[in-house]
Amino acid sequence: MKLLIFALFCLAGPVLVPAARTNEREQLFTVKRLISRLLPGKEDLFELSVSPICLGTAKCYNLRVREGRIQIFGSSGVELASGLHRFLKNACKSSISWRLTGGNQIDTSCLEAGALDVSSLDVYSERSTPWSYYQNVVTPSYSMAYWNWSRWEQELDWMALQGINLPLAFTGQEKIWQKAFSRFNVSAAELQDWFAGPSFLAWQRMGNLQGWGGPLPQAYIDAQAELQVKILERMRAFGMTPVLPAFAGFVPNAIHDKFPDAAITQLGNWGSFTEQYCCVHLLDPQDPLFRQIGQAFVQEMRQAWGHDSIGYYSADTFNEQSPPSAEPDYLRNASRGVFEAMQAGDETAVWIQQAWLFYSDQAFWQPPQIQALLEGVPQDRLIMLDLFAEVFPLWNRTEAFQGVPFIWCMLHNFGGNLEMYGNMKALARGPADALQEPNMVGIGLCPEGIETNPIVYDLMPEWAYREEAIDLGAWTKDYVVRRYGPSTPDSAVDAWDLLLGSVYNCQDLHLDHNQDIPVSRPGLGPADVAPLGLQPRLWYKPEKVMKAWSLMLEAAQELEEQSTYRYDLIDVGRQVISKAATALWKDVCQAYEDKDLKALSKANADLLQLLDDLDELLASHEGFLLGPHIEEARAAGNTTEDKSLFEFNLRTQITIWGTGKEGDSEVHDYANKEWAGLLQSFYRGRWSMWLHRLQADLVRGKEYDAVAVKKDFLSFTTSWTHREEEGFPLQPSGDTVDISRDLFKKYGRDDEPFTSLQMLHELSEVPKNSAEGQALLSVDEMR
Ligand SMILES: *[C@@H]1O[C@H](CO)[C@@H](O)[C@H](O)[C@H]1NC(C)=O
Ligand SMILES: *[C@@H]1O[C@H](CO)[C@@H](O)[C@H](O)[C@H]1NC(C)=O
Ligand SMILES: *[C@@H]1O[C@H](CO)[C@@H](O)[C@H](O)[C@H]1NC(C)=O
Ligand SMILES: *[C@@H]1O[C@H](CO)[C@@H](O)[C@H](O)[C@H]1NC(C)=O
Ligand SMILES: *[C@@H]1O[C@H](CO)[C@@H](O)[C@H](O)[C@H]1NC(C)=O
């Protein structure tokens, strides 16, 4: 980290601030308003200034305390907000986190006159790389599809504090697509079978599917476009550079019909959808029509939403879809075509592309293919997102993207699943290793879903201003105190030391997918259960998490008032209980195999009780409730029809996801959530149905009927996704600490060998025939 003592500046006396230009003044006021939301009543303690002048060429902030006032200087609004966050972390031992993961812990006593330790606060800090990028292209659909402006405002504040200056800004683009395609005589009505519902827009935008979850109401399209105007205004007012969408080649069926001579192919079936929803048309980037559509889209967007001095655009033509040809010459032409279409609409265009394709289809993307794709675009007009760098970095496998600028991104989360997970060691040093490459231009946070694992999102953004590997032990100690406040007892610190060495020390390439029994589709063998044939896995010693749970409980007296503490206490208990379900499930399978009716009914009852217990625990914190999510989705619509459609979209995404030819999709349960309400109503319902069938089979001496079982699931799920307004609680209920104590007695046994955990270890062998197994195998082959 660059930590020049402010002495350099002090020589010149007080901070010299050139007269702010309008833009700088706007950034200043925007940060002032952030402070009044974050620290109401404390605005006057801060003396802020924005000016582009730093010591070096980098972006910077400067922080000091003089006469009881906190002076922060930043080269932009984001830099200023980063300085403020640094101040809150260092001087006030505070933490900033999403409301649902416990919210902010800010002890404002640090702001009192005598409390400020002046000497430790003279900080001048420069960015180690220019950019902090944020969002995965699917985050808008997993986490943001139904947000209103006040929720967006909170997120934009969060981004500014985390130093995010290159955020993806995908909201409301359907309005622009309507305008662009109307130039080609495609009406809004003709786009109805193309746009997906709000929970599935990300995959339609990427050409993975079309129309699913739709038709998208015009009112939603208009409302999102209005929201985007506000979002962009705020991003720019902070001094952020939004990353806007651009044309990647996917076209509605109507374009195919109207331009029969255009070079249009149909993509393969992603996720095994039915014909109506699959196999999107792709216009070849070399076709002249490609450039016309791409240009029209960017022009319409700039007209509607204004523009930045340099335009950054996101487009992914071959994400999880193999290109029609592996010929390097074709791929070079294709990427040139995509870029030139952007450039035709905006002379300054820089293309930001996810490198995910090189990971997800390693067989196709061999060195010549990678090289060709990168070569098609001038080097200073392309930035590659090394999307999954904390687990599977590509920069060190591709000769640093052959010199093309790249951003070291953490992906961390898949499908918005909830589990305690992180590869903290990689996060603590990965960016430092990559910084050796002169073409690393940023760090990124690219989770599929947000509002999980706050520790991970506290550490990663710090890399904006760091250069050297982080001492994780010391950092975590400090984090725990920041998260829970001044009365944090040692037991909480010790608990986190154990969590750091267990759930947050995942180095076996395991992805952050909750594949545990509660959220998995019931079945007799591992292959039947979890999404994509995945299965429960342990990448850590469960005894450590068990011990962490008991230590967290010891801290209850001091911390029970803290929402951050209650969130974490639940999360640890949730992790233990969720894994413990594997043992109970194996008991069920064993009893069934032994045709032991008595043992089966006991095992069934235990498993259902576990699901009830988990639901009760989760119900005690707002961060683990289904109700508010449904409420939020319904609130995004103004008519009964729209409200129903949005609730259906949400329910579908978190359960069956899609429906395919055999009624099922490959990605069922991919976006599962351990949320109170969902556990009780959906997961428990599904397990209970299956367990009853097993009992009935034994009584009647029937064979296991896998086909009938699957039918059961489909009809249960389909009817569940169409249910509405079931009154899931909007507020937490029950006392987290009391519930946790009770459940610890039951599931937290570390005094006797918890034999069933042994089985979970056995299950943890890498499944060779699963998607994850295959990914791991190909990783091995690459080595
Ligand atoms: C916006 O949505 C949040 C939930 O995300 C809700 O709590 C709040 O009341 C909503 N605000 C308005 C003004 O509707
Ligand atoms: C749109 O339709 C009009 C009227 O039929 C026609 O003149 C024009 O060429 C069409 N535009 C495109 C881009 O096909
Ligand atoms: C709902 O109504 C409000 C107030 O008229 C409007 O601002 C908003 O755009 C509408 N949203 C939708 C999705 O219809
Ligand atoms: C690539 O583009 C060049 C120049 O337009 C063209 O001559 C060549 O045939 C194209 N190659 C392929 C494989 O499409
Ligand atoms: C790239 O870095 C990762 C993470 O440090 C490491 O596991 C892998 O072996 C490296 N690969 C190569 C080819 O250097």
Side-chain angles (χ1 to χ4, degrees):
M1 191 187 333
K2 274 213 175 114
L3 263 189
L4 299 183
I5 298 303
F6 186 55
L8 280 168
F9 260 67
C10 286
L11 294 175
V15 184
L16 297 173
V17 188
R21 285 181 278 134
T22 319
N23 187 29
E24 284 143 21
R25 201 170 309 142
E26 189 187 3
Q27 294 184 27
L28 184 71
F29 286 129
T30 307
V31 177
K32 282 194 169 158
R33 284 191 292 267
L34 179 155
I35 293 181
S36 43
R37 286 186 291 273
L38 191 68
L39 303 162
K42 306 286 179 195
E43 299 86 336
D44 291 346
L45 284 174
F46 293 88
E47 233 173 78
L48 311 177
S49 57
V50 176
S51 143
I53 296 167
C54 295
L55 287 180
T57 50
K59 304 166 185 175
C60 69
Y61 64 76
N62 183 330
L63 187 63
R64 57 183 213 166
V65 175
R66 290 293 178 276
E67 289 155 19
R69 286 169 59 96
I70 301 120
Q71 302 177 336
I72 314 176
F73 154 94
S75 53
S76 75
V78 179
E79 260 54 58
L80 204 51
S82 306
L84 171 66
H85 190 187
R86 174 71 171 278
F87 169 80
L88 292 173
K89 279 189 170 185
N90 282 15
C92 296
K93 294 290 167 210
S94 303
S95 68
I96 301 292
S97 97
W98 291 295
R99 189 176 55 81
L100 291 189
T101 55
N104 302 335
Q105 188 290 121
I106 301 177
D107 173 23
T108 49
S109 67
C110 66
L111 296 172
E112 279 150 27
L116 291 168
D117 173 2
V118 173
S119 59
S120 72
L121 282 173
D122 277 3
V123 174
Y124 171 80
S125 204
E126 277 183 1
R127 277 192 190 258
S128 46
T129 54
W131 298 116
S132 286
Y133 176 83
Y134 177 46
Q135 284 179 42
N136 189 295
V137 292
V138 302
T139 328
S141 293
Y142 277 134
S143 298
M144 302 160 167
Y146 307 102
W147 283 3
N148 57 23
W149 169 244
S150 64
R151 179 62 189 85
W152 267 108
E153 183 168 59
Q154 288 166 17
E155 195 70 6
L156 289 156
D157 285 353
W158 182 90
M159 289 184 208
L161 291 163
Q162 306 294 356
I164 305 298
N165 58 5
L166 194 64
L168 196 65
F170 266 18
T171 303
Q173 58 175 285
E174 284 60 40
K175 185 83 182 170
I176 310 295
W177 290 116
Q178 287 183 327
K179 290 184 181 176
F181 281 121
S182 79
R183 291 205 201 171
F184 300 87
N185 289 342
V186 174
S187 67
E190 287 172 307
L191 292 174
Q192 284 217 335
D193 62 356
W194 193 49
F195 290 145
S199 295
F200 303 98
L201 275 174
W203 297 273
Q204 178 254 309
R205 292 166 178 168
M206 281 191 288
N208 298 142
L209 51 79
Q210 55 191 339
W212 177 240
L216 191 64
Q218 189 62 43
Y220 181 86
I221 295 175
D222 294 342
Q224 290 285 299
E226 274 175 39
L227 202 49
Q228 172 76 338
V229 171
K230 286 190 187 173
I231 293 169
L232 290 175
E233 200 175 77
R234 183 61 56 86
M235 284 177 174
R236 288 168 176 148
F238 272 126
M240 299 173 182
T241 305
V243 177
L244 295 165
F247 184 53
F250 312 113
V251 290
N253 298 331
I255 286 282
H256 179 243
D257 300 341
K258 284 178 206 228
F259 298 87
D261 299 333
I264 292 177
T265 49
Q266 224 172 344
L267 290 162
N269 195 342
W270 178 96
S272 70
F273 274 82
T274 50
E275 241 161 78
Q276 186 186 352
Y277 303 115
C278 85
C279 313
V280 176
H281 285 111
L282 175 67
L283 175 59
D284 193 296
Q286 296 183 74
D287 192 289
L289 184 60
F290 191 102
R291 189 191 171 100
Q292 291 163 23
I293 295 177
Q295 179 181 37
F297 179 77
V298 171
Q299 284 175 345
E300 290 290 351
M301 188 164 55
R302 281 161 67 90
Q303 200 174 334
W305 296 342
H307 50 84
D308 305 277
S309 52
I310 294 175
Y312 288 83
Y313 298 97
S314 163
D316 295 290
T317 301
F318 302 122
N319 186 63
E320 299 187 7
Q321 304 269 18
S322 291
S325 160
E327 204 186 315
D329 202 29
Y330 171 80
L331 295 167
R332 193 177 301 111
N333 286 356
S335 65
R336 181 180 302 130
V338 173
F339 173 68
E340 285 179 355
M342 274 171 211
Q343 204 182 22
D346 177 356
E347 192 46 51
T348 71
V350 174
W351 179 10
I352 300 207
Q353 190 180 175
Q354 302 182 99
W356 181 249
L357 73 179
F358 302 156
Y359 165 76
S360 67
D361 194 352
Q362 291 162 29
F364 181 94
W365 293 100
Q366 296 293 314
Q369 282 72 30
I370 293 178
Q371 186 179 349
L373 191 84
L374 297 173
E375 267 174 10
V377 185
Q379 254 192 14
D380 57 347
R381 296 304 192 90
L382 179 63
I383 295 178
M384 297 301 291
L385 300 175
D386 197 352
L387 210 70
F388 197 21
E390 87 277 28
V391 170
F392 196 86
L394 290 164
W395 65 270
N396 68 349
R397 294 170 163 97
T398 55
E399 294 171 48
F401 296 100
Q402 325 227 353
V404 170
F406 72 95
I407 293 181
W408 195 101
C409 298
M410 163 191 94
L411 204 162
H412 181 253
N413 176 275
F414 288 83
N417 292 173
L418 281 93
E419 67 176 349
M420 283 193 130
Y421 168 90
N423 185 347
M424 293 290 279
K425 277 196 182 140
L427 296 182
R429 73 159 301 129
D433 291 343
L435 271 167
Q436 296 160 7
E437 302 293 343
N439 55 326
M440 171 171 160
V441 297
I443 55 120
L445 281 67
C446 306
E448 290 196 349
I450 59 169
E451 297 168 328
T452 74
N453 294 290
I455 188 171
V456 169
Y457 297 85
D458 194 299
L459 182 122
M460 186 59 206
E462 289 191 3
W463 278 105
Y465 293 91
R466 282 184 181 271
E467 283 179 351
E468 269 147 42
I470 298 170
D471 173 350
L472 212 44
W475 185 93
T476 304
K477 265 195 191 115
D478 183 60
Y479 167 79
V480 180
V481 176
R482 290 193 291 103
R483 180 139 171 96
Y484 304 138
S487 48
T488 305
D490 288 347
S491 62
V493 176
D494 295 344
W496 274 94
D497 191 46
L498 289 164
L499 293 172
L500 189 64
S502 55
V503 281
Y504 289 112
N505 185 30
C506 182
Q507 300 196 57
D508 70 350
L509 300 176
H510 172 88
L511 315 184
D512 181 21
H513 269 307
N514 184 333
Q515 297 143 212
D516 294 342
I517 287 300
V519 295
S520 291
R521 187 179 274 189
L524 284 173
D528 304 339
V529 290
L532 298 165
L534 304 176
Q535 51 184 282
R537 286 186 60 200
L538 271 185
W539 60 93
Y540 56 88
K541 287 202 166 65
E543 306 86 86
K544 287 193 179 181
V545 182
M546 211 74 91
K547 182 72 188 159
W549 194 12
S550 85
L551 287 166
M552 282 294 278
L553 271 169
E554 279 177 31
Q557 206 186 341
E558 290 90 344
L559 301 182
E560 65 185 332
E561 298 303 316
Q562 300 281 3
S563 177
T564 47
Y565 165 76
R566 291 197 307 275
Y567 178 90
D568 292 346
L569 179 61
I570 292 174
D571 215 14
V572 180
R574 185 204 49 67
Q575 187 73 20
V576 170
I577 296 171
S578 188
K579 293 291 175 201
T582 309
L584 300 183
W585 167 65
K586 294 211 89 184
D587 290 349
V588 168
C589 299
Q590 191 62 51
Y592 184 73
E593 201 187 311
D594 297 347
K595 300 196 179 348
D596 182 342
L597 195 54
K598 203 170 146 216
L600 182 63
S601 50
K602 158 103 177 54
N604 285 1
D606 287 348
L607 185 51
L608 293 178
Q609 182 61 48
L610 179 141
L611 298 173
D612 288 338
D613 291 342
L614 198 50
D615 193 82
E616 188 193 7
L617 175 66
L618 296 173
S620 68
H621 193 283
E622 62 175 342
F624 297 102
L625 303 180
L626 169 66
H629 293 276
I630 290 186
E631 174 79 0
E632 184 179 79
R634 295 187 70 86
N638 288 340
T639 64
T640 323
E641 294 75 31
D642 291 359
K643 286 175 187 293
S644 300
L645 182 75
F646 300 163
E647 181 164 356
F648 167 77
N649 262 256
L650 176 73
R651 284 173 177 251
T652 301
Q653 186 202 61
I654 60 182
T655 58
I656 197 165
W657 213 106
T659 55
K661 287 203 174 77
E662 281 150 44
D664 208 356
S665 94
E666 278 172 19
V667 278
H668 72 80
D669 295 293
Y670 177 94
N672 67 66
K673 303 282 178 307
E674 286 190 345
W675 280 340
L678 189 61
L679 261 153
Q680 189 55 244
S681 150
F682 182 73
Y683 299 124
R684 189 192 193 281
R686 191 166 69 173
W687 275 105
S688 161
M689 181 174 61
W690 182 76
L691 294 170
H692 280 103
R693 182 181 267 278
L694 293 190
Q695 262 170 310
D697 281 0
L698 275 200
V699 170
R700 295 193 202 115
K702 273 180 64 185
E703 288 284 296
Y704 187 78
D705 184 346
V707 175
V709 164
K710 192 166 165 190
K711 263 199 190 139
D712 282 353
F713 292 151
L714 288 176
S715 66
F716 174 78
T717 308
T718 309
S719 98
W720 192 87
T721 55
H722 283 100
R723 286 198 228 157
E724 275 186 65
E725 296 191 87
E726 293 187 279
F728 293 111
L730 300 176
Q731 300 297 330
S733 61
D735 183 292
T736 301
V737 173
D738 289 348
I739 298 168
S740 298
R741 284 211 176 96
D742 285 348
L743 294 181
F744 182 77
K745 280 185 209 132
K746 199 161 165 185
Y747 300 99
R749 292 168 302 179
D750 59 351
D751 50 330
E752 57 185 273
F754 199 175
T755 48
S756 43
L757 282 168
Q758 192 54 43
M759 295 188 221
L760 195 50
H761 273 304
E762 286 159 21
L763 256 182
S764 301
E765 299 299 313
V766 175
K768 294 246 183 315
N769 56 354
S770 72
E772 188 175 22
Q774 275 162 18
L776 292 177
L777 286 181
S778 47
V779 170
D780 288 343
E781 281 156 17
M782 280 187 81
R783 280 180 175 159

